[in-house]
Amino acid sequence: MNNPKNSQKNISTLFQAEAWKDAFIKLLPQHAIKNPVMAIVWLGTLITLISTLFGKANFVFGSLVTLILFITVLFANYAEAIAEAKGRGQASSLRQARQNLTARRLMSLEDKEGAQVAATLLNINDLIEVRAGELIPADGEIIHGFATINEAAVTGESAPVLREAGTDRSGVIAGTKVLTDRIIVQVTAESGHSFLDRMIALVEGSNRQKTPNEIALGILLTVMTVTFIIVVCSLPIIGHFLNISMNPILLVALLVCLIPTTIGGLLPAIGIAGMNRALKANVIAKSGKAVEIAGDIDVLLLDKTGTITYGDRQATVFYPLTGVSESELRQAAVLTSLADPTPEGKSVVALAKELGEKIIDPEQAEFIPFNASTRISGINLADGQQIRKGALDAILKFTSQEISHHSELKTHVEQVASKGATPLVVACGQNLLGVIELSDVIKSGIKEKFARLREMGIKTVMVTGDNPLTAAAIAAEAGVDDYIAEARPEDKLNCIRNEQNKGHLVAMVGDGTNDAPALAQADIGLAMNSGTQAAKEAGNMVDLDSDPTKLLAVVEIGKQQLITRGALTTFSLANDISKYFAILPALFVAAIPQMHVLNVMQLGSPETAILSALIFNAIIIPLLIPIALRGVKFKPSTSTQLLRRNMMIYGVGGVLLPFFAIKAIDLVINHVLVL
């Protein structure tokens, strides 16, 4: 029997071996030049090697400096390589899911046989049939049928999910498995451009683009490096006039200690690790920029259904108006719901059955499906009757009536809305029949999550199609900062644009085709994996678990990314200060005795001072790799509090730690020399 611990150990060993191999490959010029700071250290390594071989310095000292600089570059390469290796490991299961797929291509919906072809030969708009027990060969939309599907290959979640034609849960992904029934899928992506293909490329880092902050910091580090190169190159000229001889190995050592090598070595790993942390939460970020922007979000647009409430609204009570029997209201409600595929529509039929109503399918009837714009659904019977159910204002518009003339209806609607439930009004022609109560439950812990976001300075806005009374009741109970009632799809887009015009960064969740414009407009558009292809294409993140509340976790991942980069940059620049006190006296104390006052660490000799500073410079990179990969621990707080905490821990700590560490290394070196 395999031991899980041994298996895990073997996987870890493979990751390490792969990372070290890549670390050496990154020494090649075409790879090294991508990180300017470490490229300079690598160039300095070659200079010290050549200088040592040509007798410009003591052979042992020169060799030690060369070795330490080489290890510094190798550790920096390893930091990036181990982050990439983790990404490739996460992509391995995705790659297995797409291998050796075949498809049953149909010529038309009436084609019952089809032809077996390789999945790589499928084109956009091809029709394919997938039966129970088969793998879906290509991304697409179900246009006929419904099925339960195992998406574990993509999401890691073994629980089956329902996908159905004509709903916002019609999207399917290549490599997932149909467990029951039969579906016909219209292909939406060609081979090599499927969702799995893009996920693999993003996770492995082959398509990773640097984020704006990463680019800005990279430019700053490059400018600092060039500045210090100019300073160091000018020292021999100044030394010539002062009759001070400058050893090239000492100049290289000074340059390496001056430039920000720590953050220069860790910066690529931090960017890759941010995307990996998002993937660990089962969120695919289409770019590192998306993860980073998530950390700056200050407005969250949240759908009520599925995000704040469980989204499983069920019909619980029928309220007939005076002069209308309960049976008459139930029968009318059932007729409007027979062709309604939504959970709400099905629950109306189920409740009526439970109360003893007989369900009879009308002949030659025209069903009117629910529409997000009109917010009503219903049926036109053969005898001319038009029966509708929907939101209060939509039904009043349909019947051309005013609420002021129907106090009883208003009372029922307000009674239902005040409980946080949703009232649906039923009408037959111009006659109002009554109200259906749809009850939903607010998710446990959601209020605490919103309080946590408020601590971070993030405003939450609930978007719902409910009337203002229901919306207000749910908003108060959930603890959101604002709400939009009776919202239509275009209202989300308008709200996002209004907030952006005020200078805010906005995030939202969506799964339907009608959400696509808003998802594309939002700074962070989190599309549900269960949603339509249009929604997934429009968003810049995809949640594999299809959990709308994941948006809250995405914001925290983004903030952790920004905090980690800021903290390690602060530490890197701070510990350079300590290295100056080690390296500068070593260089100039012989020619300028007054420089001895800077030797506050009382290091043994110029040579041991230089070696101690360089050793610390090398070993601090691997010591910080776990923080770069895991991220700095995030606690909700304001920007001022975060800045103060970072300055105290990573600023002050970055100054003090090297003083003690370099002194300790110097003592060890001197002790070894004595022996």
Side-chain angles (χ1 to χ4, degrees):
M1 181 180 285
N2 290 331
N3 188 321
K5 289 186 177 179
N6 290 338
S7 178
Q8 188 69 28
K9 186 177 180 180
N10 291 338
I11 292 172
S12 178
T13 303
L14 286 173
F15 275 154
Q16 295 289 341
E18 185 181 3
W20 280 116
K21 176 185 173 184
D22 286 348
F24 279 95
I25 292 173
K26 290 177 184 293
L27 293 172
L28 296 173
Q30 63 267 35
H31 297 294
I33 198 65
K34 293 178 182 178
N35 189 335
V37 176
M38 298 317 299
I40 293 299
V41 180
W42 182 216
L43 180 62
T45 305
L46 298 177
I47 292 173
T48 58
L49 175 62
I50 294 170
S51 299
T52 301
L53 294 175
F54 281 87
K56 298 291 184 180
N58 177 279
F59 183 79
V60 174
F61 177 72
S63 299
L64 286 173
V65 171
T66 301
L67 179 62
I68 294 167
L69 293 180
F70 178 74
I71 291 172
T72 302
V73 178
L74 205 59
F75 279 158
N77 289 349
Y78 172 77
E80 181 177 5
I82 193 68
E84 291 175 343
K86 284 181 178 290
R88 284 193 290 269
Q90 289 170 317
S92 62
S93 62
L94 301 176
R95 185 179 286 103
Q96 290 171 4
R98 69 172 186 179
Q99 290 177 350
N100 303 320
L101 294 177
T102 59
R104 187 180 298 104
R105 184 160 58 188
L106 306 179
M107 299 305 295
S108 67
L109 286 173
E110 290 72 34
D111 187 351
K112 301 299 181 184
E113 296 299 325
Q116 288 290 137
V117 297
T120 53
L121 299 178
L122 292 174
N123 297 311
I124 293 177
N125 294 326
D126 278 353
L127 299 182
I128 53 176
E129 180 192 40
V130 191
R131 300 170 183 170
E134 297 178 345
L135 294 175
I136 297 172
D139 290 2
E141 298 277 348
I142 300 175
I143 61 172
H144 178 76
F146 61 89
T148 52
I149 296 174
N150 184 339
E151 297 183 339
V154 176
T155 67
E157 176 58 58
S158 58
V161 294
L162 179 66
R163 296 288 177 261
E164 186 174 359
T167 70
D168 284 342
R169 292 179 175 267
S170 61
V172 292
I173 300 173
T176 56
K177 187 174 185 179
V178 174
L179 299 179
T180 63
D181 302 293
R182 165 187 174 270
I183 53 175
I184 295 178
V185 177
Q186 185 173 38
V187 177
T188 56
E190 291 181 349
S191 178
H193 299 279
S194 70
F195 184 66
L196 273 178
D197 290 313
R198 285 179 290 152
M199 280 175 63
I200 292 167
L202 288 165
V203 171
E204 289 184 331
S206 58
N207 282 358
R208 191 183 88 84
Q209 295 179 339
K210 291 184 178 181
T211 67
N213 283 350
E214 192 176 348
I215 293 170
L217 182 56
I219 292 172
L220 173 62
L221 297 182
T222 302
V223 170
M224 290 178 65
T225 300
V226 171
T227 302
F228 285 128
I229 289 173
I230 295 171
V231 170
V232 171
C233 288
S234 67
L235 289 179
I237 301 172
I238 298 171
H240 175 72
F241 290 104
L242 298 175
N243 295 318
I244 300 173
S245 177
M246 294 288 179
N247 188 304
I249 292 180
L250 295 181
L251 290 174
V252 170
L254 173 63
L255 177 62
V256 171
C257 287
L258 287 175
I259 63 177
T261 50
T262 305
I263 188 61
L266 294 172
L267 191 58
I270 295 170
I272 296 168
M275 293 184 69
N276 288 349
R277 281 195 295 273
L279 182 62
K280 194 174 180 181
N282 259 6
V283 173
I284 294 296
K286 295 184 180 179
S287 69
K289 180 181 178 181
V291 177
E292 190 171 271
I293 290 176
D296 288 327
I297 288 297
D298 53 5
V299 176
L300 283 186
L301 224 62
L302 303 160
D303 274 330
K304 183 206 75 173
T305 305
T307 307
I308 296 172
T309 65
Y310 283 104
D312 189 20
R313 294 191 300 183
Q314 300 291 307
T316 51
V317 185
F318 292 106
Y319 296 99
L321 298 180
T322 302
V324 179
S325 68
E326 286 193 20
S327 178
E328 187 180 350
L329 173 59
R330 290 198 298 264
Q331 190 60 238
V334 166
L335 288 172
T336 63
S337 304
L338 285 174
D340 188 345
T342 65
E344 293 91 341
K346 292 174 181 177
S347 75
V348 169
V349 177
L351 179 62
K353 277 184 179 179
E354 186 182 318
L355 295 175
E357 203 67 43
K358 291 183 179 180
I359 310 301
I360 302 173
D361 284 332
E363 295 181 0
Q364 298 180 341
E366 178 192 2
F367 291 103
I368 310 298
F370 176 80
N371 183 287
S373 297
T374 61
R375 294 163 57 233
I376 59 174
S377 61
I379 187 171
N380 295 334
L381 299 178
D383 61 5
Q385 289 188 80
Q386 294 182 328
I387 307 174
R388 299 288 187 273
K389 77 170 187 296
L392 173 64
D393 61 323
I395 293 298
L396 288 174
K397 183 178 179 181
F398 173 75
T399 58
S400 303
Q401 300 195 45
E402 299 288 337
I403 189 63
S404 57
H405 300 151
H406 298 277
S407 57
E408 184 186 5
L409 176 64
K410 183 180 179 182
T411 300
H412 283 310
V413 168
E414 291 178 352
Q415 176 187 346
V416 171
S418 64
K419 294 189 289 185
T422 302
L424 288 183
V425 180
V426 182
C428 180
Q430 301 298 305
N431 299 319
L432 297 167
L433 302 180
V435 177
I436 308 169
E437 179 179 318
L438 295 179
S439 298
D440 202 352
V441 180
I442 290 177
K443 292 183 175 181
S444 58
I446 198 74
K447 191 166 188 175
E448 289 74 16
K449 288 183 179 179
F450 289 148
R452 185 179 171 92
L453 290 169
R454 198 171 294 110
E455 286 180 38
M456 293 186 272
I458 297 173
K459 174 185 174 184
T460 51
V461 181
M462 180 184 78
V463 181
T464 176
D466 290 332
N467 64 67
L469 260 178
T470 303
I474 293 175
E477 187 178 347
V480 296
D481 298 312
D482 200 359
Y483 65 88
I484 301 173
E486 297 178 341
R488 296 164 298 175
E490 58 266 30
D491 293 332
K492 292 181 184 179
L493 185 59
N494 293 334
C495 178
I496 291 170
R497 285 173 175 166
N498 290 337
E499 293 292 346
Q500 288 173 333
N501 289 337
K502 296 175 187 175
H504 296 299
L505 293 176
V506 185
M508 75 157 283
V509 173
D511 59 2
T513 301
N514 59 5
D515 288 326
L519 284 168
Q521 179 69 35
D523 299 284
I524 289 295
L526 180 64
M528 298 294 97
N529 182 41
S530 61
T532 62
Q533 191 69 23
K536 287 186 281 190
E537 290 290 343
N540 50 14
M541 286 186 172
V542 178
D543 176 26
L544 302 180
D545 295 329
S546 300
D547 176 9
T549 60
K550 190 71 69 65
L551 185 57
L552 311 182
V554 166
V555 170
E556 294 196 356
I557 290 169
K559 286 195 175 293
Q560 187 182 41
Q561 168 86 339
L562 294 175
I563 292 167
T564 300
R565 184 181 295 128
L568 293 183
T569 301
T570 302
F571 182 86
S572 174
L573 298 178
N575 72 42
D576 284 345
I577 296 172
S578 304
K579 288 183 283 186
Y580 301 159
F581 283 96
I583 201 85
L584 290 175
L587 275 173
F588 300 108
V589 72
I592 309 174
Q594 294 85 347
M595 291 289 287
H596 184 73
V597 72
L598 294 178
N599 188 16
V600 294
M601 288 186 253
Q602 297 298 306
L603 302 178
S605 68
E607 289 78 13
T608 61
I610 290 169
L611 290 175
S612 299
L614 290 177
I615 289 172
F616 173 81
N617 199 56
I619 64 175
I620 197 64
I621 293 176
L623 291 176
L624 291 175
I625 287 175
I627 296 177
L629 298 182
R630 186 180 64 248
V632 173
K633 189 174 181 181
F634 171 70
K635 292 181 180 178
S637 53
T638 63
S639 300
T640 304
Q641 291 171 328
L642 286 174
L643 179 62
R644 188 184 299 122
R645 188 184 303 136
N646 272 355
M647 290 303 295
M648 287 301 297
I649 297 174
Y650 295 95
V652 176
V655 171
L656 296 179
L657 176 63
F659 275 99
F660 296 105
I662 291 173
K663 178 62 178 177
I665 294 169
D666 182 72
L667 290 173
V668 171
I669 292 175
N670 280 289
H671 181 69
V672 171
L673 291 176
V674 169
L675 295 177

